[in-house]
Amino acid sequence: MDSLSSPASRFRTLSGIPVDAVYGDGPAPGEFPYTRGVHAEMYRTRPWTMRMFAGFGTATDTNARFGELLAAGGTGLSTAFDMPTLMGRDSDHDWALGEVGRAGVAVDTVEDMADLFAGIDLGAVSTSMTINGPAPILLAMYVVVAEEGGVDRERLAGTLQNDILKEYQAQKEYLFPPRPSVRLVTDVIGFTTAEMPRWNPVSISGYHIREAGSTAVQELAFTLANGFAYVEAAVAAGLHVDDFAPRLSFFFNSHSDLFEEVGKFRAARRIWARWMRDRYGATDERSLKLRFHTQTAGVSLTAQQPEVNIARVALQALAGVLGGTQSLHTDSFDEALALPSEDAARIALRTQQVIAHETGVTNVVDPLGGSAYVEWMTDEMERQATEVFDHLEQLGDGSLLEGVYAGIDDGWFVGEIADASYRHEREVNAGERIVVGVNEFTEGDDPSARRLLRIGQETEELQRKRLATVRQGRDAAAVASTLARVAVDAAESTTNLMPALLEAVRARATVGEVVDALEGVFGTYVERAVV
Amino acid sequence: MSGSTDRPPVRVVLAKLGLDGHDRGLKVVARMLRDGGMEVVYLGLRQTTDTIIDAVEQEDADVVGISMLNAGHLTLGPRMVEALADAGLDVPVVIGGIVPDEDLPAMANAGVAGVLGPGATAEEVVACVRAAADARG
């Protein structure tokens, strides 16, 4: 009975059996190469951040959803922007018709950003912003909103996705050609390294690669290759690897094959640690530790019998936790049909809470470590990913950055992903893979029971009015001169663009105006259409 | 009569209309239609009604397929149908993407010839496009 009163007894099974932090031999969690986790105690000392992605309608609409999520026990914020914002277009642009506020929140100016975070202490929460092409502009807006509200930039904690390479490979939300776009990424890295020590300047994302149809190996390999490419780009821009690498973070998908996913997460940590130490010469332990956010696989959600998605999400979330994620978003069961309704978003958050507080999986670090299958899968993931790195290195004459550029330019990434996607589709179509409710067990679907979130057309009109008001109320000459400076600084490849961007958004320049100024220098990117 | 040899293959222009970059579904559909014996003109991302109409005219297409993930069907679908009509082209429009059941009547009223949702099989995709082409007469 002694163990029940010792500190270790805090961690007991449901039946009262005391359990240790870790079982098995070999390098422990928190030790190089971190296969078993980046911290020795993992969730015993710090649970993952339950970071729910939200955004729809106007900034005021999304601000209310943020409030609900924080009140329901969410511990971080994550912002989804609408398609015009993601593509650097204002809500009154022709291209924006029908898309304003539909798949995320509309942000045109710093005033929208202020409304988005109204009533939230930016010095106290951590915020993730899922944006890539115009990422430096949105970061500048966030900094200006914080500073106008009395919070210094060095206190701001959060993550900017800012991962442009995967846009050319998978998500397709690019604005400019790859090389000037990577310069924008390194400008952000340089800026936050110097001035925002609590900020993660890039979230190197496999999520979208997987959603576009890749395999787990492709997700792992392409994502880490992109990570290495950013390291090479930042070093080439004059930064020291240990000054910025500790703040690089990752974002992975958690799909339905549980052990494959766990192997993927474990292999990711091991590969990153080895490459950062051995190839890029990092010596700060924090540079070697791959920290990541996980989101369950939106693409696995079915429109048929959508309630079944709750089970899929729970199992995928469990894989992320067993894989040692630092933060987690669980998808809402209705997402194959519409943006998440409030009820569905709450169930998704509650799913994480069940895993964290009821299942006991948090009591032991890397509980699957030592399983012959999981260890083999981890090795196999690493082996197959290494084949991809070898290919890219060859394409780039020894440089991963150049190899990734080459793979984008010649359509290699999109071709690989499209092949994998079609292979999967054919297997489902042929009944070789069962998708419950879609090609098997199909009875019991009741479309009439669905209560979906609808975004009305009035959002678009409202947002355009808000934008018009900001345009009328600002100093037009100041806007013009700050935009001119953006163009001048953009043309000078060794100048960090962030100061010019901060000045422009502070003067109430719109996202679209800043993008236009940059586009004038950088040009646009049109992909070769590959089926 | 599907797959009959006495008719030329159905020619389909496939495009993403607007800003949305989610092209996984459209690419899968392109391969399904090809494997189903159709000729696919794949325009890819960020097309406008004008670029699609140009392609329809140049390629003498029988059907236009547009794909969207962002609930843009209520605005972009009817706009595509109208633009084709305004250009004097009798070419049916098939929409792929997430279209709630309750929007189906509105799509039909707007003149959209077919809607393909998540989970559509290759056979359903090919049949839907063929039906649209045949209805054109």
Side-chain angles (χ1 to χ4, degrees), chain A residues 83-84 87 89 94-99 102-103 170-174 210-214 299 303-304 335-338 414-415 418-422 424-426 429 438 447 450 452 454 457 527 529-531, chain B residues 16-35 40 42-48 69-76 79 98-103 117-123:
Chain A
M83 193 55 73
M87 291 301 296
R89 305 295 165 196
D94 271 357
W95 279 100
L97 181 71
E99 307 238 33
R102 282 210 189 272
Q171 189 171 239
K172 313 294 177 72
E173 288 162 9
Y174 41 71
R210 192 68 177 280
E211 290 288 295
S214 85
V299 77
Q304 299 84 351
E335 281 185 61
L337 299 159
V414 293
D419 286 347
S421 158
Y422 194 48
H424 174 80
E425 204 64 42
R426 284 168 56 134
N429 211 70
V438 174
R450 289 169 195 160
L452 302 178
R454 305 292 305 231
Q457 195 60 30
E527 77 163 4
V530 180
V531 178
Chain B
K16 290 281 295 186
L17 191 56
L19 292 172
D20 174 28
H22 292 89
D23 56 3
R24 176 179 183 166
L26 191 66
K27 286 187 175 191
V28 166
V29 163
R31 293 192 187 198
M32 285 174 168
L33 294 176
R34 267 186 197 169
D35 289 355
V40 173
Y42 184 80
L43 301 183
L45 298 174
R46 317 251 142 75
Q47 301 300 315
T48 64
L69 191 73
N70 292 335
H73 54 274
L74 289 170
T75 43
L76 298 177
R79 194 143 68 117
I98 296 174
V99 178
D101 288 348
E102 66 200 68
D103 291 348
T121 65
E123 293 72 26

Side-chain angles (χ1 to χ4, degrees), chain A residues 233-387:
Chain A
V235 168
L239 295 167
H240 185 273
V241 65
D242 281 326
D243 287 341
F244 67 85
R247 278 284 161 195
L248 296 179
S249 65
F250 287 81
F251 172 23
F252 290 111
N253 199 304
S254 193
H255 216 298
S256 294
D257 190 322
L258 194 139
F259 296 107
E260 181 173 68
E261 294 304 297
V262 174
K264 179 185 77 183
F265 299 131
R266 300 173 91 246
R269 278 191 294 268
R270 185 196 288 169
I271 296 167
W272 184 253
R274 286 183 177 157
W275 278 58
M276 290 304 286
R277 187 189 69 177
D278 300 340
R279 183 175 168 122
Y280 298 113
T283 54
D284 186 332
E285 199 182 39
R286 295 171 308 152
S287 301
L288 313 181
K289 291 181 172 179
L290 180 147
R291 298 166 300 126
F292 68 101
H293 173 67
T294 302
Q295 181 171 338
T296 57
V299 77
S300 74
L301 303 179
T302 62
Q304 299 84 351
Q305 300 185 47
E307 301 80 5
V308 179
N309 292 326
I310 296 172
R312 291 191 178 93
V313 167
L315 292 166
Q316 293 166 2
L318 180 64
V321 170
L322 293 173
T325 194
Q326 274 62 58
S327 62
L328 181 62
H329 167 99
T330 31
D331 289 331
S332 297
F333 71 85
D334 54 1
E335 281 185 61
L337 299 159
L339 287 197
S341 63
E342 199 179 312
D343 286 348
R346 194 186 61 252
I347 291 171
L349 175 60
R350 294 282 181 260
T351 303
Q352 294 198 38
Q353 290 162 340
V354 168
I355 295 172
H357 302 294
E358 296 184 16
T359 66
V361 296
T362 55
N363 288 341
V364 175
V365 183
D366 189 33
L368 295 181
S371 147
Y373 178 40
V374 168
E375 295 297 345
W376 176 85
M377 181 62 80
T378 306
D379 294 346
E380 183 64 11
M381 282 280 148
E382 182 175 19
R383 189 188 68 74
Q384 292 196 27
T386 304
E387 290 178 0

Side-chain angles (χ1 to χ4, degrees), chain B residues 6 37 44 50 65 73 101 131 136:
Chain B
D6 55 342
D50 287 346
H73 54 274
D101 288 348
R136 184 186 176 208

Side-chain angles (χ1 to χ4, degrees), chain A residues 41-353:
Chain A
E41 295 267 319
M42 286 301 287
Y43 307 131
R44 290 163 68 102
T45 49
R46 188 185 349 172
W48 66 86
T49 303
M50 297 182 188
R51 189 184 296 284
M52 300 299 283
F53 191 39
F56 61 95
T58 64
T60 307
D61 297 329
T62 298
N63 178 262
R65 176 66 67 87
F66 281 166
E68 287 153 13
L69 286 167
L70 290 173
T75 48
L77 296 174
S78 177
T79 315
F81 296 98
D82 72 355
M83 193 55 73
T85 307
L86 293 171
M87 291 301 296
R89 305 295 165 196
D90 292 334
S91 297
D92 56 3
H93 192 280
D94 271 357
W95 279 100
L97 181 71
E99 307 238 33
V100 176
R102 282 210 189 272
V105 60
V107 172
D108 293 312
T109 70
V110 78
E111 299 294 341
D112 296 323
M113 191 67 102
D115 290 349
L116 185 57
F117 293 103
I120 295 167
D121 180 359
L122 297 185
V125 294
S126 75
T127 303
S128 169
M129 287 190 281
T130 297
I131 191 136
N132 297 280
I137 304 166
L138 275 288
L139 175 64
M141 287 183 175
Y142 190 76
V143 169
V144 167
V145 165
E147 292 185 345
E148 289 182 353
V151 177
D152 295 338
R153 62 183 71 166
E154 55 266 27
R155 286 178 58 206
L156 297 176
T159 302
L160 191 67
Q161 192 162 85
N162 196 31
D163 169 17
I164 201 67
L165 290 171
K166 63 93 169 57
E167 297 299 333
Y168 304 100
Q169 297 160 347
Q171 189 171 239
K172 313 294 177 72
E173 288 162 9
Y174 41 71
L175 305 178
F176 319 116
R179 285 165 178 81
S181 295
V182 168
R183 178 254 179 123
L184 286 174
V185 174
T186 53
D187 280 0
V188 170
I189 294 173
F191 173 77
T192 61
T193 299
E195 305 196 26
M196 299 178 72
R198 301 177 66 208
W199 197 267
N200 300 317
V202 196
S203 170
I204 306 154
S205 304
Y207 187 81
H208 321 81
I209 293 170
R210 192 68 177 280
E211 290 288 295
S214 85
T215 64
V217 167
Q218 289 168 338
E219 178 196 356
L220 172 66
F222 296 175
T223 307
L224 291 184
N226 291 344
F228 300 139
Y230 292 128
V231 169
E232 291 181 14
V235 168
L239 295 167
H240 185 273
V241 65
D242 281 326
D243 287 341
F244 67 85
R247 278 284 161 195
L248 296 179
S249 65
F250 287 81
F251 172 23
F252 290 111
N253 199 304
S254 193
H255 216 298
S256 294
D257 190 322
L258 194 139
F259 296 107
E260 181 173 68
E261 294 304 297
V262 174
K264 179 185 77 183
F265 299 131
R266 300 173 91 246
R269 278 191 294 268
R270 185 196 288 169
I271 296 167
W272 184 253
R274 286 183 177 157
W275 278 58
M276 290 304 286
R277 187 189 69 177
D278 300 340
R279 183 175 168 122
Y280 298 113
T283 54
D284 186 332
E285 199 182 39
R286 295 171 308 152
S287 301
L288 313 181
K289 291 181 172 179
L290 180 147
R291 298 166 300 126
F292 68 101
H293 173 67
T294 302
Q295 181 171 338
T296 57
V299 77
S300 74
L301 303 179
T302 62
Q304 299 84 351
Q305 300 185 47
E307 301 80 5
V308 179
N309 292 326
I310 296 172
R312 291 191 178 93
V313 167
L315 292 166
Q316 293 166 2
L318 180 64
V321 170
L322 293 173
T325 194
Q326 274 62 58
S327 62
L328 181 62
H329 167 99
T330 31
D331 289 331
S332 297
F333 71 85
D334 54 1
E335 281 185 61
L337 299 159
L339 287 197
S341 63
E342 199 179 312
D343 286 348
R346 194 186 61 252
I347 291 171
L349 175 60
R350 294 282 181 260
T351 303
Q352 294 198 38
Q353 290 162 340

